Amino acid sequence: MKNGISIKKVFVAALLCIAPLVLHATTWATRQVRDPITNERVKVHEPMSSGSYIYSWPEKSDQVFWPFTDNNWLWFNPKSGYIAFGSDFAELDPTKRAALKAWLSSNFDRKAPPQSRRDLLMWAQKVYAVRGMDDDFWCHFFRLMAFETRDDPKTSLDYVKKALLLLEKRLPAATDPGRTLETLYLLGEYNRRLGRDDDANRYLERLGSFEVDDKQSGFKQYLLEIAREQQVLPSGQPAGNGSATSGDH
């Protein structure tokens, strides 16, 4: 699954975050893409520029980043009901096109399309379920939703629990050091939010003792710093309450 943020990119950006930055702008350009369901053109927005500062925004606690936290990256055709993030909008498996088209025809109400970001994300979750996405996609999506619903702690923690199961499954299979570091951090943070302090401390201790080379040391320190910031919050409290809303950094 391509979620648009590779461990390597996060690592490089984490190193750049050390430097003070003044400008915190992101820019977009409009273009037209074809809806893979109907083949009609849809006006969308593509990222044009950003900076390493995006890795210091509140969503870092869930390791989800711009542009996924921005409304512009959620591409939607209100005529067909097809919706996806810009990174996989065109990547619809041809063998699943007919089934998804039929599902949309039966389930999408053109007279009452989703309007708010929350409703669009919930609709996207249903569409992606029909598409049959893999565990990596869902791990990222559930973490994004944990961040997006942070003003509703119960709902946020429900998504944390879903992501946690996939992270526990991912850890033994991780071979890339950066992926292991990220997974250990997230397992520690999500157990903290669920009030499982012993498990949280165990994973964060593993993160701290995980041996890396010089190329990965910056990413490790970046994650440890986020963990320290989160540990000052009360046990079980979702991160990001009171922070900037998605797309409004």
Side-chain angles (χ1 to χ4, degrees):
M1 189 280 296
K2 297 180 181 179
N3 65 18
I5 301 293
S6 68
I7 294 296
K8 182 177 180 181
K9 289 180 180 178
V10 173
F11 165 63
V12 171
L15 293 179
L16 294 175
C17 278
I18 297 173
L21 293 161
V22 177
L23 183 63
H24 284 193
T26 57
T27 61
W28 297 83
T30 58
R31 61 169 292 202
Q32 289 191 333
V33 296
R34 289 197 179 276
D35 178 339
I37 297 295
T38 63
N39 203 39
E40 63 186 334
R41 292 187 177 276
V42 182
K43 182 180 178 181
V44 299
H45 295 82
E46 280 192 327
M48 290 297 291
S49 64
S50 65
S52 58
Y53 43 80
I54 67 173
Y55 299 101
S56 65
W57 285 346
E59 53 264 41
K60 67 184 179 181
S61 62
D62 294 279
Q63 287 295 282
V64 293
F65 304 99
W66 185 89
F68 287 91
T69 52
D70 196 297
N71 292 337
N72 287 323
W73 197 227
L74 199 54
W75 296 358
F76 174 55
N77 183 356
K79 294 182 180 179
S80 71
Y82 182 64
I83 189 171
F85 295 111
S87 51
D88 58 47
F89 187 86
E91 294 179 3
L92 179 61
D93 185 340
T95 65
K96 297 180 179 179
R97 179 181 177 276
L100 180 56
K101 184 176 182 179
W103 184 88
L104 288 170
S105 178
S106 298
N107 292 273
F108 179 63
D109 185 356
R110 293 180 61 177
K111 296 181 180 179
Q115 299 289 336
S116 70
R117 176 169 174 80
R118 184 74 57 85
D119 287 345
L120 285 165
L121 285 167
M122 294 302 296
W123 178 246
Q125 183 172 336
K126 294 178 180 180
V127 172
Y128 275 123
V130 178
R131 288 179 62 177
M133 308 303 282
D134 63 18
D135 284 352
D136 277 349
F137 171 86
W138 287 116
C139 185
H140 182 263
F141 187 88
F142 293 151
R143 283 154 38 208
L144 175 64
M145 292 303 294
F147 174 74
E148 294 281 349
T149 60
R150 62 198 183 282
D151 58 339
D152 179 357
K154 182 182 183 303
T155 299
S156 180
L157 290 179
D158 284 343
Y159 280 110
V160 164
K161 292 173 185 176
K162 292 179 180 181
L164 190 62
L165 292 175
L166 296 176
L167 289 163
E168 290 171 343
K169 180 180 178 181
R170 187 172 88 173
L171 182 61
T175 57
D176 177 78
R179 187 174 175 86
T180 300
L181 289 169
E182 181 191 60
T183 305
L184 287 171
Y185 158 74
L186 287 166
L187 285 167
E189 168 58 12
Y190 282 179
N191 274 289
R192 181 200 67 78
R193 292 190 205 177
L194 293 170
R196 304 169 184 172
D197 292 344
D198 289 344
D199 288 335
N201 292 334
R202 176 165 54 86
Y203 282 117
L204 293 179
E205 286 174 3
R206 287 181 63 182
L207 173 62
S209 62
F210 188 78
E211 294 187 4
V212 296
D213 58 24
D214 291 342
K215 293 182 179 179
Q216 294 286 352
S217 62
F219 185 44
K220 177 180 176 180
Q221 292 306 311
Y222 166 72
L223 293 173
L224 286 171
E225 179 59 32
I226 299 174
R228 283 191 287 269
E229 292 175 3
Q230 297 304 109
Q231 284 179 323
V232 303
L233 298 174
S235 176
Q237 178 176 318
N241 287 331
S243 62
T245 57
S246 298
D248 294 326
H249 296 287

